[in-house]
Amino acid sequence: MTDANEDQPFPVTGRCHCGAVSLSAEINPARVFVCHCADCQVLTGSAFRVVAPVVPGSLQVQGNIKGYARTADSGAVRWQFFCPECGTPLYAGAQGGVGMATVRVGVLAERDQLRPTAQLWRRSAQPWVGSLGDVPACERQELLG
Ligand SMILES: [Zn+2]
Ligand SMILES: [Zn+2]
């Protein structure tokens, strides 16, 4: 498997965990970002989020979604869209519009071909993310004993 790394539109497809919502879009593989901001940590329930801006106008969504409006410190309103059945985060964008959306890479079938090209908000990154390779690991969950 080779990584998508050319600076040209790359088609992606995705779906939520329960399957009620699916999406397709085109992204630029040179613009795949890890975001360490506090909002992403809370909204994912994890340490960081991996996102990719879609090519404007390319995002298509099938199924009902729900949106949550987040007002940034700057006053800008950004909508977080998710599956109302299973809660899977899908994308962020303007209300009612999918033009300038940013898709959540974890829902994409092609996620193993997409490598981050930059990290955002590193100032709020959890202190261990840079040394994750040093943490004891197992192939499944053997370490849980
Ligand atoms: Zn779902
Ligand atoms: Zn973020």
Side-chain angles (χ1 to χ4, degrees), residues 35-125:
C35 187
H36 298 283
C37 84
D39 282 350
C40 283
Q41 292 179 19
V42 174
L43 287 163
T44 61
S46 188
F48 56 82
R49 169 143 59 191
V50 188
V51 300
V54 304
V55 174
S58 70
L59 177 62
Q60 296 194 318
V61 179
Q62 293 85 38
N64 293 321
I65 58 173
K66 189 170 182 185
Y68 164 70
R70 166 79 175 104
T71 303
D73 293 340
S74 66
V77 177
R78 188 109 172 125
W79 285 76
Q80 308 283 330
F81 294 102
F82 56 94
C83 172
E85 297 298 325
C86 68
T88 301
L90 297 165
Y91 68 96
Q95 183 183 24
V98 293
M100 295 300 290
T102 302
V103 71
R104 281 59 178 107
V105 170
V107 304
L108 302 179
E110 300 80 7
R111 60 187 178 270
D112 61 349
Q113 301 171 58
L114 300 168
R115 286 178 175 270
T117 57
Q119 300 181 57
L120 312 178
W121 288 95
R122 184 73 196 207
R123 61 186 282 181
S124 51

